[in-house]
Amino acid sequence: MSPTIVLEVETRFEEEERLDEFQKGVKHLCERGITKVPRKYILPALERPILTKKGDATTFKLPVIDFDQLQGPNRVHALKSLSKACEEYGFFQLINHGIACQSIVDMIEAGRKFFELSFEERSKYMSKDLRAPLDCHPLSDVLPYWPSSPTELRQAAVNYSEKTRFLYLMIVEAILESLGLVATTKDSDENDSDDHIKEFRDGSQLLVVNCYPSCPEPDLTLGIPPHSDYGFLTLLLQDEVKGLQIQHETRWVTVEPVPNSFVINVGDHLEIFSNGRYKSVLHRVLVNSLKSRISIASLHSLPFESMIRPSPKLINDANPRRYKDTDFASFIEYIASHEHRSKNFLESRRMS
């Protein structure tokens, strides 16, 4: 099976059924020069971000994993650091990842240029169909389904998708080792490792380009409300503008952007697969009054039709099975009838 890639270009916030200004998205509202946050986007007081007078929030440095170390003689030590990050934080920064700086710059700039297009051009790709991402295509056939403007977007996205997919597979292999599901590289049989990684190679990849416009009252709203990611791993590329917050030890902390790095987080599927050893973590996005922010999330998991379940090797008397089987169709059905906030879908999959 070929890997599936979806380009989902969007601004965040739900839309009304009637065609009005709100339906056209937050970017459109900002382009019209709003000076106050519309009432429908104002959060209840207890859900609003806590910002200083400068508009800042508590900053936080994630654990750093050096990809070079994972590929070198210090792999065992790096695997321990990886395991600790996935257990205690659910997030880490990946440096020395091997993806050329130019590929990263090209992807960010192409995404930025898309959102600088007119609303009429952007609106061609707006959709409220929750099942739209299921209409997937092999990488070799996907170009005709992506925006044709700006002209450099398609090639930048294909190039970036290929590189992030390769990086994801290397990280998955390290995660399987850290969970004790495959032997360390120096002791492993290559065929055994290939057997374990095969289903991941055939897996799904969604490329999501997000734009968070500057906001006149950033203390009243959020770019994205608290949630966990549905898949196995997410590789997030940020520009230089702060915005990502994670919940760590009951506090919301802002992730400090690190140039030429990826923020990688555990998804719900990995929490299920690891039988709860590695945790997906709530995160949200702040907005600010001065700058727009671009982020590019590459969300990876097993094939859409696969059933996700705890690895049998991680279930025993001391650590009984904690999650029910699930699949992508169950997730779509759930969010069609429930608001996707916090970790409510994952909680619905816990064994009673």
Side-chain angles (χ1 to χ4, degrees):
M1 178 190 299
S2 299
T4 51
I5 310 290
V6 175
L7 179 64
E8 183 179 274
V9 190
E10 57 186 342
T11 50
R12 299 286 184 168
F13 290 123
E14 294 181 350
E15 303 159 357
E16 300 294 338
E17 285 297 320
R18 67 187 185 280
L19 183 61
D20 58 16
E21 293 303 304
F22 293 118
Q23 186 184 14
K24 296 178 182 179
V26 174
K27 181 74 161 60
H28 179 73
L29 290 174
C30 293
E31 288 168 343
R32 295 189 54 119
I34 61 170
T35 58
K36 290 186 174 297
V37 173
R39 183 177 300 175
K40 67 171 292 182
Y41 299 140
I42 296 177
L43 295 173
L46 293 178
E47 297 179 20
R48 297 174 192 171
I50 299 175
L51 305 177
T52 67
K53 291 182 179 179
K54 294 181 180 180
D56 295 328
T58 304
T59 57
F60 182 76
K61 291 186 177 180
L62 292 173
V64 175
I65 303 298
D66 188 330
F67 188 70
D68 276 349
Q69 297 289 312
L70 276 175
Q71 305 308 308
N74 293 326
R75 184 176 178 87
V76 172
H77 176 73
L79 287 172
K80 290 178 180 178
S81 298
L82 176 64
S83 181
K84 181 180 174 67
C86 292
E87 287 182 8
E88 298 182 6
Y89 297 87
F91 275 78
F92 57 90
Q93 296 269 13
L94 188 74
I95 61 171
N96 295 326
H97 45 72
I99 296 180
C101 184
Q102 192 60 51
S103 294
I104 289 173
V105 170
D106 288 348
M107 188 65 239
I108 289 178
E109 289 307 308
R112 195 187 311 277
K113 287 180 180 179
F114 175 86
F115 287 104
E116 291 172 352
L117 297 173
S118 66
F119 169 75
E120 288 70 26
E121 185 66 23
R122 297 195 310 267
S123 65
K124 295 176 183 177
Y125 307 99
M126 295 179 72
S127 173
K128 293 186 290 183
D129 182 5
L130 289 173
R131 290 172 173 77
L134 289 172
D135 183 20
C136 300
H137 307 273
L139 182 58
S140 58
D141 300 332
V142 79
L143 282 179
Y145 300 90
W146 287 356
S148 56
S149 295
T151 54
E152 60 267 39
L153 176 58
R154 290 181 175 181
Q155 191 54 52
V158 167
N159 181 49
Y160 182 79
S161 297
E162 290 174 340
K163 288 177 167 50
T164 51
R165 179 175 172 273
F166 177 79
L167 181 61
Y168 159 74
L169 291 172
M170 300 292 282
I171 298 167
V172 164
E173 194 164 1
I175 282 176
L176 294 179
E177 280 188 45
S178 73
L179 288 168
L181 298 176
V182 297
T184 56
T185 300
K186 65 179 181 180
D187 301 323
S188 66
D189 181 286
E190 188 172 338
N191 292 331
D192 179 63
S193 179
D194 283 348
D195 288 343
H196 281 86
I197 204 74
K198 183 180 186 304
E199 193 172 14
F200 291 96
R201 286 198 185 108
D202 293 337
S204 59
Q205 178 179 4
L206 277 73
L207 189 64
V208 182
V209 183
N210 292 309
C211 175
Y212 306 93
S214 57
C215 173
E217 297 174 299
D219 55 326
L220 298 181
T221 191
L222 289 167
I224 303 180
H227 67 286
S228 60
D229 287 352
Y230 173 70
F232 201 83
L233 283 178
T234 298
L235 281 63
L236 180 71
L237 179 62
Q238 307 183 83
D239 63 12
E240 74 285 356
V241 181
K242 296 177 187 177
L244 174 65
Q245 284 197 319
I246 70 169
Q247 193 173 66
H248 181 65
E249 297 179 346
T250 72
R251 295 186 309 139
W252 285 106
V253 291
T254 302
V255 174
E256 190 75 37
V258 175
N260 199 31
S261 73
F262 285 95
V263 174
I264 299 183
N265 64 282
V266 172
D268 292 348
H269 283 179
L270 178 49
E271 179 166 336
I272 292 172
F273 180 81
S274 69
N275 202 32
R277 178 173 165 184
Y278 293 169
K279 300 288 195 301
S280 65
V281 170
L282 289 178
H283 50 288
R284 65 185 188 181
V285 177
L286 303 178
V287 288
N288 72 83
S289 60
L290 300 177
K291 294 182 177 180
S292 292
R293 176 175 176 267
I294 295 289
S295 72
I296 299 163
S298 188
L299 298 98
H300 300 259
S301 195
L302 296 169
F304 285 126
E305 66 274 13
S306 291
M307 192 63 67
I308 311 298
R309 55 176 59 94
S311 171
K313 293 184 179 180
L314 300 177
I315 299 172
N316 52 47
D317 291 342
N319 189 34
R321 180 172 180 153
R322 303 178 189 278
Y323 302 91
K324 306 171 188 174
D325 291 358
T326 191
D327 59 11
F328 191 72
S330 299
F331 174 67
I332 291 294
E333 183 180 348
Y334 184 90
I335 64 172
S337 56
H338 299 76
E339 186 176 12
H340 182 45
R341 294 174 68 93
S342 300
K343 296 176 68 171
N344 53 355
F345 176 75
L346 184 64
E347 294 302 320
S348 75
R349 309 316 297 165
R350 288 188 184 275
M351 303 286 285
S352 55

